[in-house]
Amino acid sequence: MSISKKIVDDFVANDVSFITTVPCKQLAGVIDEVEARPEIFHIPSNKEDEGMGLCAGAFMGGKRPAIIMQNTAIGVTINTLATLTQYYRMPLPMLISYRGELREPVACQVEMAVHTKALLAQMNIPTYHFHKESDADELDAILKYTFMCNKPVAILTDASFWGGYGDQ
């Protein structure tokens, strides 16, 4: 089974029925799998904070939402996370490609990587970092946790999790 299928299977098993995505090369396989699933209502977003607003609406409408995004936009989501998601105690699994680490080929990705974990920690958002495929075995428990405690959680997936940048 592909890792993308396993991730989406875990979403479905935890009744996630609304997913919004922002384009990302590393997450393309997961996004394709989400799009192929009839049990998931998929809405692509232009921006991550817009996607969080869509997830809030889905949650208020009785759905379990998730967002799939890049870490490079964490900065623009801070206000939405604090004043909407956290203030109203909305669970929100955030599957995030963690760009900017070792062997990153795009220089501008590095700057946000330096701040990603610190920003999430400052916001008291539980954060899990997947380095290898077997780390995804924890996803089911992470999803159960976010819906049990009504908190957002960040699942960072780095390049090694997805098989590298093509040079590995």
Side-chain angles (χ1 to χ4, degrees), residues 82-156:
T83 63
L84 182 63
T85 308
Q86 289 181 314
Y87 184 79
Y88 291 102
R89 296 191 45 86
M90 295 180 187
L92 183 62
M94 299 180 288
L95 183 67
I96 302 170
S97 63
Y98 190 43
R99 301 289 308 268
E101 288 201 303
L102 297 175
R103 296 195 307 267
E104 168 66 55
V106 181
C108 66
Q109 301 282 16
V110 175
E111 287 308 313
M112 200 60 215
V114 171
H115 302 287
T116 297
K117 287 182 177 179
L119 287 169
L120 292 166
Q122 183 65 37
M123 305 252 339
N124 295 317
I125 294 175
T127 302
Y128 305 88
H129 192 156
F130 291 2
H131 299 281
K132 54 190 182 307
E133 280 193 15
S134 62
D135 292 340
D137 292 341
E138 292 185 59
L139 183 58
D140 179 67
I142 293 166
L143 293 171
K144 285 176 176 34
Y145 173 79
T146 190
F147 292 113
M148 177 275 301
C149 65
N150 289 333
K151 292 183 178 291
V153 297
I155 303 115
L156 303 176

Side-chain angles (χ1 to χ4, degrees), residues 11-145:
F11 279 135
V12 170
N14 283 276
D15 298 322
V16 173
S17 58
F18 180 94
I19 297 180
T20 186
T21 60
V22 180
C24 173
K25 185 177 179 181
Q26 285 184 356
L27 296 166
V30 178
I31 295 169
D32 289 345
E33 186 69 28
V34 165
E35 183 65 31
R37 296 295 187 95
E39 60 266 55
I40 297 174
F41 190 72
H42 175 221
I43 298 288
S45 295
N46 293 317
K47 294 174 45 188
E48 286 78 357
D49 55 339
E50 172 188 295
M52 289 180 181
L54 291 169
C55 287
F59 176 73
M60 289 181 209
K63 304 287 185 193
R64 282 187 165 189
I67 187 167
I68 297 174
M69 58 187 267
Q70 277 191 35
N71 69 309
T72 50
I74 286 291
V76 299
T77 66
I78 298 299
N79 185 56
T80 306
L81 281 166
T83 63
L84 182 63
T85 308
Q86 289 181 314
Y87 184 79
Y88 291 102
R89 296 191 45 86
M90 295 180 187
L92 183 62
M94 299 180 288
L95 183 67
I96 302 170
S97 63
Y98 190 43
R99 301 289 308 268
E101 288 201 303
L102 297 175
R103 296 195 307 267
E104 168 66 55
V106 181
C108 66
Q109 301 282 16
V110 175
E111 287 308 313
M112 200 60 215
V114 171
H115 302 287
T116 297
K117 287 182 177 179
L119 287 169
L120 292 166
Q122 183 65 37
M123 305 252 339
N124 295 317
I125 294 175
T127 302
Y128 305 88
H129 192 156
F130 291 2
H131 299 281
K132 54 190 182 307
E133 280 193 15
S134 62
D135 292 340
D137 292 341
E138 292 185 59
L139 183 58
D140 179 67
I142 293 166
L143 293 171
K144 285 176 176 34
Y145 173 79

